Every structure is written in C-alpha cells, then in structure tokens.
Amino acid sequence: MENNECRITVVVPVYNVKPYLERCVDSLLAQTAEHLEIVLVDDGSTDGSGAVCDRYEKQDGRIRVHHKENGGLTSAWKAGVELARGAYVGFVDSDDWVEADMYARMIRAAEQEDADLVVCGLVFDFEDPKIPKREEISNFRKEVYDRKALEQLFPVLINDGCFFGRTLQPARVTKLFRKELLQENMKYCREQVALGEDMQITFPVLLDTRKLCVIPGYYPYHYWINEKSMTGRYDGAYMEKVRLLSERLNAISREKGVYDFGPQIRNDFLSMTVLAVKNEIYRNYRAGRRAVTANVAAVCEAPDVREALEHHTMDKLSLSIRLYLRLMRKGHYSLCYWLVLVFFKVNYYLGREYKRQ
C-alpha cells in the first residue's frame, strides 16, 4: 500500500501474548474501513508471538511487522508511530480486540469534520464470566468540539472535582489521532512512565487539537481482563510510578502553557495515591498488618501526599471517599487497612477495580 493510499494505520504493540494475538489481528483484518494498514511491533517477544506476526505479514499485504529489542509498551507504540503511513493513527493492544466497524466509523467522523482527534468508548470483558461487562467513555457532552469549546473543558479536563474525575479518558486505544499531531507530541512520552502512560500522549495531543469528534454510546473496543490481570501482583514501586506520571503531566502543562492544570493534576495524584494505598493493603496483606500499615504511613506522610491531602480541590467526593481521605490525613492507618480489605474485595468481585488508568 502506497503512502498516499493509506488512510489509517493501526499500531499493535506485541509482547508475549501468543494465546490472544490471533484474536486481536483477526479483528483488525475484519475491519470494513478501506485503505487500512496494521503495524505489528514485536517488542522482543520470547513466546513465539514474533513468528505469529511474521506469518500474518506473509498472508496479508495490509500487515507490516517490526521486530525490536524489548523496551516496554511505550517504546513499542512509539516505534509503530514512526513507521505509520496513514493520515490517521489508532492503537490496539495485542490481547484486546475490536468490532469490525470501529475504524470505518471513526475515520468517517474524522474526514467529515476534518478533526484532529476522534473518541469512542471501550468495554471491559472479563475472563471470569461471573463479572459483568462494563462500558467506559470520555465524559464529553457534545459530538463535535471546535477549539473554543475544547478550551472551555480545560478547567475540568483532568479532574472535575470528583474522585478520578477525568473528563478525558486517557486510553490511546479509544482514539483516532491525526498522524502529524501525534508525531509532534511524541517527545513528551517517556519509556520510564509505567503507570497511566497513555495520558502522556492523549493529554498533550488534546491540548493542541483544533477539532475533536465524539461517537457517543459507541463501545467497539474490547479490553480483556484475564485471570492474571485479576489476581495481580503487589507492586512495591507503585507510588513512585504515580509520582513519575504526575511529574510528566506537570511538565507537559508547563511546556504547553495553554492553561494551569496544576490543581487538577494534584487532585489526580491524590486519587492515584488512594490506589497506591489500596495496592499496599490489598496486594501486600501477606506481609502482615503491622508491616503494611507502616508502609501506608510512609506513603501518607510523604510531603507531596500531605500537601495533596491538605489542599486538594475535589468538592464532589462521595461520603466514603471523604471519610477515607480523612483517615489518611489523620493517620488512622489501621482503619485504612481494614476498610480496604473489605471495600476493595467487594469491588473486585463486582468488576469495579478495573477502571483503566
């Protein structure tokens, strides 16, 4: 496919996902959109995923494969963007899949409105059939936003006063980006960011966007939650990852200079800190209550967390979140411990733990 023929490039980072890879690629080959190419970026897979990619490349001319040394998710999709020939670029993670009309509908909206960014929704599909599916989409109220309308969203873009009150759902997989705008903002992406890494590209791109289109009530992207994702592992570096993401968002906000997002980023940081506390308690409970509560105290007594607890501007919090933040602020870490074990275990079985960050 020549460059001037290609309308859409779909970038698929691939790393050790052999059991799911065919489902993903087959869903892309079934797309009804014309002039679409698929770039499979094998990020140093060791389970045979790379060979599966090569087999697909030989079978279908729409597929190109790029093999690279392992560098992590961000490095893989950055490599894919560099190779993109389409006027617009989308992303699909290799253990997920999409509906056949996803990119046809998104490119139609993009071309009709000459939009820089098109947004749809996703659905969480759980391997455990007892957990119901759940839909999620950015909290945009209109179908088309020009630049003036987008700027009116800036005061609530990252936090609208609620716990995790993001108007912009950060997932790159629910977006179709104008390629030039995406490439111009690639400089903001750091491979070291390993939590919420999508935000470091969707945030700066939106700040440069002149027109955005939303496809309301449309959830064509299937985000797969398997047993490994559900059981999870304790991450002792979680809080440092939270800090690194917030540092990147503040740096982007300062460099773009279009609005002061500092208070919203602080609110988002505090919301993610609650998840860090949850991670410490729920994932590390085998270490024992004393050790875990000591670690929770270390998180909550750090200067940046104290500042966020004292000065956040979230004024639409539920009673339960207000109570929990008060317990963190007042140092009642044993109560924090017991509440998390009960509250998050209930939410785990209800499937609410998997709000994509």
Side-chain angles (χ1 to χ4, degrees):
M1 187 183 301
E2 298 296 330
N3 287 20
N4 58 2
E5 294 179 342
C6 188
R7 298 162 75 203
I8 309 166
T9 297
V10 182
V11 176
V12 184
V14 177
Y15 179 70
N16 289 354
V17 288
K18 190 175 180 181
Y20 309 109
L21 185 55
E22 290 187 0
R23 179 181 65 185
C24 173
V25 178
D26 287 345
S27 76
L28 292 172
L29 292 176
Q31 290 297 299
T32 59
E34 297 179 344
H35 306 301
L36 175 145
E37 71 165 357
I38 303 159
V39 177
L40 304 178
V41 182
D42 171 29
D43 191 35
S45 297
T46 59
D47 70 341
S49 293
V52 175
C53 293
D54 291 337
R55 172 166 56 82
Y56 271 106
E57 184 178 36
K58 293 176 182 178
Q59 292 175 353
D60 198 299
R62 291 172 292 176
I63 292 179
R64 290 192 290 148
V65 175
H66 175 67
H67 298 282
K68 61 183 286 296
E69 293 184 0
N70 180 253
L73 177 62
T74 300
S75 74
W77 56 258
K78 286 174 68 175
V81 170
E82 291 178 4
L83 296 170
R85 297 185 295 204
Y88 288 87
V89 178
F91 298 93
V92 174
D93 287 340
S94 49
D95 50 354
D96 302 334
W97 73 98
V98 298
E99 297 293 332
D101 65 345
M102 174 172 170
Y103 286 109
R105 289 189 63 172
M106 296 185 83
I107 193 65
R108 186 183 309 123
E111 292 177 344
Q112 285 178 350
E113 296 291 342
D114 192 25
D116 293 320
L117 188 63
V118 181
V119 178
C120 67
L122 60 79
V123 58
F124 292 87
D125 280 281
F126 294 85
E127 186 176 45
D128 185 344
K130 297 189 298 294
I131 300 178
K133 296 181 180 181
R134 185 171 63 78
E135 297 173 338
E136 182 177 297
I137 195 168
S138 291
N139 192 28
F140 296 123
R141 303 299 185 186
K142 300 195 301 182
E143 294 187 26
V144 179
Y145 288 82
D146 61 14
R147 180 63 186 183
K148 183 178 180 180
L150 279 174
E151 290 177 352
Q152 291 173 350
L153 290 177
F154 285 176
V156 294
L157 189 66
I158 296 178
N159 185 269
D160 63 0
C162 298
F163 183 72
F164 267 121
R166 291 170 171 172
T167 298
L168 170 66
Q169 182 220 44
R172 68 194 140 75
V173 296
T174 58
K175 316 291 189 295
L176 189 64
F177 302 85
R178 191 186 297 275
K179 182 178 66 176
E180 289 80 8
L181 201 57
L182 190 64
Q183 291 176 333
E184 289 168 6
N185 284 282
M186 210 50 64
K187 62 185 178 182
Y188 294 109
C189 302
R190 301 288 186 272
E191 285 81 358
Q192 297 87 348
V193 176
L195 178 71
E197 56 266 49
D198 287 7
M199 193 68 153
Q200 60 180 337
I201 189 60
T202 53
F203 177 46
V205 165
L206 189 135
L207 297 187
D208 287 346
T209 293
R210 310 306 302 179
K211 182 176 283 190
L212 175 145
C213 290
V214 181
I215 306 179
Y218 182 53
Y219 306 90
Y221 190 96
H222 293 265
Y223 180 56
W224 180 241
I225 306 291
N226 59 28
E227 189 63 30
K228 182 178 178 181
S229 303
M230 293 173 68
T231 54
R233 291 185 179 181
Y234 169 64
D235 185 354
Y238 194 99
M239 193 61 210
E240 291 311 308
K241 294 177 181 178
V242 171
R243 288 191 172 94
L244 185 56
L245 175 62
S246 291
E247 289 169 4
R248 290 303 310 140
L249 296 182
N250 275 306
I252 292 167
S253 176
R254 288 192 298 268
E255 185 164 338
K256 291 291 186 182
V258 296
Y259 187 81
D260 179 12
F261 290 95
Q264 293 181 63
I265 294 170
R266 179 177 56 201
N267 292 346
D268 195 68
F269 169 78
L270 183 57
S271 296
M272 295 191 75
T273 298
V274 173
L275 291 193
V277 170
K278 182 272 302 188
N279 167 75
E280 183 61 47
I281 297 170
Y282 187 64
R283 305 291 189 199
N284 196 33
Y285 68 93
R286 289 187 178 89
R289 183 178 59 83
R290 289 186 179 180
V292 169
T293 53
N295 291 344
V296 170
V299 169
C300 295
E301 293 171 9
D304 53 355
V305 175
R306 298 306 306 173
E307 196 274 339
L309 284 167
E310 296 292 340
H311 300 293
H312 74 83
T313 57
M314 291 183 285
D315 56 357
K316 300 175 184 176
L317 298 176
S318 67
L319 179 61
S320 61
I321 293 296
R322 290 203 304 271
L323 172 62
Y324 203 79
L325 291 177
R326 180 177 176 82
L327 293 176
M328 290 171 60
R329 189 171 66 250
K330 296 295 185 181
H332 298 305
Y333 305 126
S334 291
L335 275 174
C336 290
Y337 175 87
W338 291 114
L339 284 174
V340 163
L341 286 185
V342 173
F343 179 78
F344 280 102
K345 197 165 188 68
V346 170
N347 280 271
Y348 170 84
Y349 285 111
L350 292 177
R352 294 174 184 165
E353 187 176 4
Y354 297 98
K355 183 168 184 177
R356 190 180 180 117
Q357 308 306 331

